[in-house]
Amino acid sequence: MRVRVVVVGAGIAGTALAAALAGSRHEVVVLEQAPGPSPVGAGLVLTPNAVRPLRRLGLGPALDRVAVPIAGRDVLRYDDDLLLGATPQDGAHAERYGAPNPALLRADLHAALLAAAGEGAVRGGRYVTDLLESSDGVTVRCADGRSAHGDVAIGADGANSLIRSLVNTERYRPARRVLYRGLAPAERAPALLREPRVRVWSGRDRYIAAYPVSAGRRVAFTATVPAGARDPDSWAVRGRVADLLSAFAGWSPTARALFSAAEWVGMWGVHDHGPVPVWSRGRVALLGDAAHPTLPFFAQPANQAVEDAVALAAHLREATSLEAGAALERYARRRRQRTDRLREVNEEILAAVRAGGDDSPEAWTRTAAKAEDAHGDWIYGHEAEDEGPGGVPGDAGR
């Protein structure tokens, strides 16, 4: 029997689920409040644990056309670009994990997922306001009076998830950091940053990362600072280059020149979440940031969203409408083994730096290198499809 899946949110997680279920006997409808595709937006780095399943979904050629294979990651001293440490990535990861580390625009990944999901899978302009569950299905209601009925509903509506608030009572803590993301044309960016490497500058309470995207035509950057008096929610608002330059006064002239060249800057609040206590209830489940907001260590937020989608698709693919609720519960139980462990690893990194009483760039470099040595195989070598019904119980947490 066909399962009708209603997904709330057409970000990376929601569109990846639609792509993973495309071609199956199931029907997927994705409801998105935005009327159309988002603007160019931010960059991201994919890691092998997401690249492998994306290639199996047929996205390899589309991603290869727009991505930049990252050869390595360099950590630079915050004020003068002195190289503190370098980690090879592209060739080493491709050989060890069967896939490279490409950098690309989030919008380019999103476009490839939309194409794989199929025409008509996403319905824009649907602002979801409520969800009603019965013994035989769910009804998702929108602000304009329209509704969608399905056998299951999936909340992929991000860190501010409405669906999560309906499933459990977990609430935000105040934002502790502000995250800026931006883009600059490559011809206006410093030459150092056009090379296919991730460059990182780290100070005591702030951080910058930069890398080329759009097949080398743009340079993307991420910068974090303490939240201070301004506390944006997790939805993007327009950022100002002047604010970035002020926040990073005295930092690397290379990084500051990149900020000055930016054609677009967005700003988000990064909220401090405890573990989300409930991922599924009856015929409703959570996906991506709605289930587990992820710290940016190991470049995992978008990559874990892809893993979530692939794992959930594996549980739903063979389910019937009568079994769909049980499939969601199995997905949630298995999947959170891995995401809870990833959260523990991230907290171990923070604790290791703080325990040493030294949060200098050098300390972060040493700790991050040790963490990657210790956990790289577990993170990058993982196959999310193995979390499906045929997987070995408990293997998602190793």
Side-chain angles (χ1 to χ4, degrees):
M1 295 174 61
R2 182 184 69 173
V3 177
R4 182 174 170 85
V5 182
V6 179
V7 182
V8 180
I12 299 301
T15 54
L17 178 61
L21 287 174
S24 72
R25 69 179 190 278
H26 301 326
E27 180 182 356
V28 182
V29 174
V30 185
L31 306 180
E32 169 57 40
Q33 66 177 1
S38 61
V40 172
L44 57 83
V45 176
L46 291 176
T47 51
N49 48 306
V51 175
R52 291 190 306 272
L54 289 173
R55 284 179 168 177
R56 287 194 288 269
L57 291 176
L59 274 67
L63 298 182
D64 289 344
R65 285 193 293 271
V66 294
V68 175
I70 295 299
R73 183 179 66 243
D74 298 335
V75 179
L76 311 177
R77 193 157 64 189
Y78 81 97
D79 58 350
D80 63 2
D81 297 343
L82 178 69
L83 182 64
L84 301 175
T87 305
Q89 289 190 331
D90 181 41
H93 277 218
E95 181 177 353
R96 188 176 184 91
Y97 303 118
N101 284 65
L104 68 163
L105 285 179
R106 181 176 293 267
D108 287 337
L109 173 59
H110 194 237
L113 289 168
L114 284 172
E119 186 176 356
V122 176
R123 300 178 183 178
R126 304 293 181 91
Y127 185 85
V128 172
T129 58
D130 201 4
L131 183 151
L132 302 177
E133 183 180 359
S134 65
S135 60
D136 63 348
V138 291
T139 300
V140 179
R141 291 180 172 174
C142 301
D144 61 3
R146 290 179 290 186
S147 62
H149 181 77
D151 296 296
V152 296
I154 308 300
D157 47 342
N160 274 329
S161 173
L162 168 69
I163 305 304
R164 183 180 61 231
S165 71
L166 300 176
V167 171
N168 62 69
T169 59
E170 192 269 348
R171 291 291 184 267
Y172 291 112
R173 302 167 188 171
R176 299 177 62 183
R177 302 195 67 77
V178 171
L179 173 67
Y180 291 91
R181 293 187 175 114
L183 287 171
E187 65 271 16
R188 293 175 52 191
L192 175 72
L193 304 182
R194 301 173 205 161
E195 299 172 0
R197 302 183 70 83
V198 174
R199 268 35 188 261
V200 174
W201 297 262
S202 180
R204 288 189 178 276
D205 62 355
R206 52 205 68 200
Y207 171 100
I208 304 167
Y211 45 86
V213 294
S214 300
R217 296 188 302 275
R218 293 185 175 99
V219 176
F221 65 81
T222 300
T224 66
V225 299
R230 190 171 187 184
D231 182 6
D233 64 21
S234 69
W235 302 109
V237 297
R238 191 77 180 188
R240 298 195 307 167
V241 170
D243 293 336
L244 270 174
L245 292 173
S246 176
F248 289 92
W251 277 56
S252 158
T254 304
R256 288 171 57 82
L258 178 62
F259 297 159
S260 296
E263 61 183 359
W264 173 88
V265 176
M267 182 175 67
W268 290 255
V270 181
H271 292 267
D272 182 19
H273 290 265
V276 176
V278 178
W279 281 32
S280 69
R281 186 198 67 193
R283 292 177 175 270
V284 183
L286 303 175
L287 191 71
D289 280 349
H292 54 86
T294 304
L295 291 170
F297 300 118
F298 307 102
Q300 284 306 292
N303 291 282
Q304 289 301 306
V306 172
E307 280 197 14
D308 284 359
V310 170
L312 178 53
H315 282 279
L316 286 174
R317 198 168 287 118
E318 302 305 321
T320 67
S321 58
L322 295 176
E323 302 164 342
L328 297 187
E329 195 280 329
R330 289 193 298 270
Y331 147 80
R333 184 175 65 250
R334 291 289 306 281
R335 184 71 192 140
R336 72 176 308 151
Q337 294 178 44
R338 178 161 169 82
T339 59
D340 283 353
R341 176 57 185 146
L342 182 61
R343 180 181 179 85
E344 292 171 4
V345 169
N346 288 333
E347 290 175 346
E348 288 168 10
I349 295 174
L350 293 171
V353 172
R354 290 166 179 162
D358 178 9
D359 60 355
S360 68
E362 291 85 352
W364 280 104
T365 301
R366 291 192 300 269
T367 304
K370 290 179 181 178
E372 183 143 355
D373 287 343
H375 303 292
D377 287 354
W378 173 75
I379 293 173
Y380 304 134
H382 183 69
E383 292 289 358
E385 290 172 341
D386 292 345
E387 296 178 39
V392 179
D395 63 357
R398 289 207 294 268

